[in-house]
Amino acid sequence: MGVTLVTGGTGFLGVHVARSLVERGEDVLVSYRRGFRVPRLLADFMGSRVKAVRCDVSDFPEIVRTIQNNGVRGIVHAANISPYEGSLYQMAKTNVEGTINVLEAASIGHVQKVTYVSSGTVSRTEEESVPIHSDVPISAHKKIGEILSLFYGREFDFAVSIVRPHLIYGPYCAAELTSPMAIINMIEGAAMGKPVNLPHINPAAKMDIIHALDCGNAISLIHLAVKAQHKV
């Protein structure tokens, strides 16, 4: 497939996706927005199988140049900012406008496959309602991204896969994002045969929990599949 670009490839999930792709024989380009430090998981491959480039997905000319100048033929779009990292405007600019930029640049650069990293929060409000409802901004952004990805894939004839990971934990995890202490409490409680108290978890919420290494492996396998059985 040529070079695979992982947007947000030095972030929590992106670095695990990049590592998994490299282990499966892919040459990978990871993008970052600001200061770059070589992630430990990619250190053994930097400069050979993995290269890093500064590229803000909200900057359309920059993402076009990144794709065209590096022979990119596949994209895993994992770049994203959360409410902990920016304002509502900043989130929309990166998560929505940035996705449009990536898809448009993919069409210009004749990319063969785009895998869009969505969120399990999308399925929390699946039932149709008027107006369309999302309980958190990231859910709204990811719904838009899914729809746009499928439209672009049909219009410009490139393959699209959408993945919806939910609660991810593991190396590089930011505490405010996935409540790692809750996961530690569950593991320790199960090992010791003790009841688990999770005061910050909504008991009505239905959430899948997955380790970042497993999630990265799953996304890379879906991205590299010759023909995925499902779009989502």
Side-chain angles (χ1 to χ4, degrees), residues 81-95:
I81 65 173
S82 72
Y84 305 98
E85 300 170 291
S87 66
L88 192 61
Y89 170 77
Q90 291 169 323
M91 288 175 63
K93 188 167 180 62
T94 296
N95 301 347

Side-chain angles (χ1 to χ4, degrees), residues 164-168 206-210:
R164 291 180 178 176
H166 206 144
L167 194 61
I168 309 169
K206 297 179 180 179
M207 295 182 290
D208 297 315
I209 300 174
I210 186 170

Side-chain angles (χ1 to χ4, degrees), residues 87-165:
S87 66
L88 192 61
Y89 170 77
Q90 291 169 323
M91 288 175 63
K93 188 167 180 62
T94 296
N95 301 347
V96 179
E97 183 181 333
T99 296
I100 295 171
N101 289 342
V102 168
L103 293 168
E104 182 68 16
S107 70
I108 293 171
H110 305 292
V111 167
Q112 298 168 2
K113 173 75 178 280
V114 173
T115 297
Y116 177 67
V117 180
S118 185
S119 167
T121 60
V122 169
S123 59
R124 286 214 305 246
T125 53
E126 269 186 343
E127 293 182 7
E128 293 294 331
S129 61
V130 180
I132 295 173
H133 173 69
S134 288
D135 53 1
V136 291
I138 200 70
S139 172
H141 299 161
K142 294 301 187 180
K143 285 180 182 179
I144 294 168
E146 288 190 10
I147 293 168
L148 288 171
S149 296
L150 294 173
F151 271 134
Y152 264 88
R154 287 196 297 267
E155 181 71 19
F156 296 101
D157 196 28
F158 57 76
V160 171
S161 288
I162 295 168
V163 294
R164 291 180 178 176

Side-chain angles (χ1 to χ4, degrees), residues 2 27 32 40 53 71 89 91 126 130 154 176 185 214 230:
D27 293 319
Y32 61 94
R40 178 173 50 85
V53 60
Y89 170 77
M91 288 175 63
E126 269 186 343
V130 180
R154 287 196 297 267
E176 68 272 16
N185 288 341
D214 294 327
H230 305 285

Side-chain angles (χ1 to χ4, degrees), residues 7-68:
T7 67
T10 60
F12 169 45
L13 179 57
V15 72
H16 290 90
V17 175
R19 171 69 183 238
S20 182
L21 286 167
V22 171
E23 289 177 340
R24 286 170 171 76
E26 297 297 298
D27 293 319
V28 176
L29 181 69
V30 294
S31 72
Y32 61 94
R33 277 193 306 139
R34 29 184 197 260
F36 174 69
R37 179 183 298 176
V38 177
R40 178 173 50 85
L41 282 177
L42 300 179
D44 292 342
F45 307 102
M46 290 301 301
S48 55
R49 305 296 304 281
V50 178
K51 295 181 180 179
V53 60
R54 186 191 179 284
C55 179
D56 186 341
V57 295
S58 64
D59 185 330
F60 180 63
E62 195 167 68
I63 190 70
V64 170
R65 286 194 301 271
T66 296
I67 290 172
Q68 292 183 335

